[in-house]
Amino acid sequence: TSEGVEPYLRSVYRGEPPAETVAEFRRRFDLIGRSPLIEITRGQGAGLQQLLDDDAPGEYLVEVGMLHTAPSIRDALATLLPRVERVIAIVLAPHYSPFIMGGYGTALAAAATELGATIPVTIADPWYEIPGWIDSLSERLAHTIAEAGSLPVVFTAHSMPEVVVKRDPGYIDQIHETIRLVAARTGLRD
């Protein structure tokens, strides 16, 4: 239900969100009926666990932790700490901005401190240019072009507050680099 919208927005805003924002988010949530993001993230975690198990059965453990909702980063870390020798967190957004994704590292560090972690707890670097990611995007784009025929290709990214773009142009540079690599791999003109 949309009752979870207000606590989520309190976490995002780090305080009380504007009432009109809460009302609008509730309206949108009620129109859609749910957010699929937790389900998708759990599916990605299960997929990663399967890949790791296929390569090294029982050697790795995957847990899912969310920044603004359950299951939390803290709860995921609490599950992992007594069972592993090292924790590596992966933010599922390939591009990194301290203004947008910095909260993940902050939450992970706070949870590690609160839980008294005695093992290394780190967060992976941005992965916007790793070959597997570029290959995946390129293959999907090439497949779409093959099905649709010759057509213009427009790359888009999610919207961002202008203040973030101005304060952290490196984030936009990372998006442009992903686009450049995908375009080159797919054989599109620069």
Side-chain angles (χ1 to χ4, degrees), residues 153 155 176-190:
V153 175
F155 291 92
H176 285 178
E177 181 61 9
T178 298
I179 291 167
R180 187 192 68 74
L181 291 168
V182 170
R185 182 92 30 97
T186 313
L188 299 175
R189 289 186 318 218
D190 191 4

Side-chain angles (χ1 to χ4, degrees), residues 93-96 125-131 133-134 137 170-171 173-179 181-182:
H95 309 93
Y96 180 82
D125 288 335
W127 45 278
Y128 63 94
E129 59 186 356
I130 65 168
W133 169 245
I134 300 304
L137 294 174
Y171 184 75
D173 293 342
Q174 292 172 32
I175 292 171
H176 285 178
E177 181 61 9
T178 298
I179 291 167
L181 291 168
V182 170

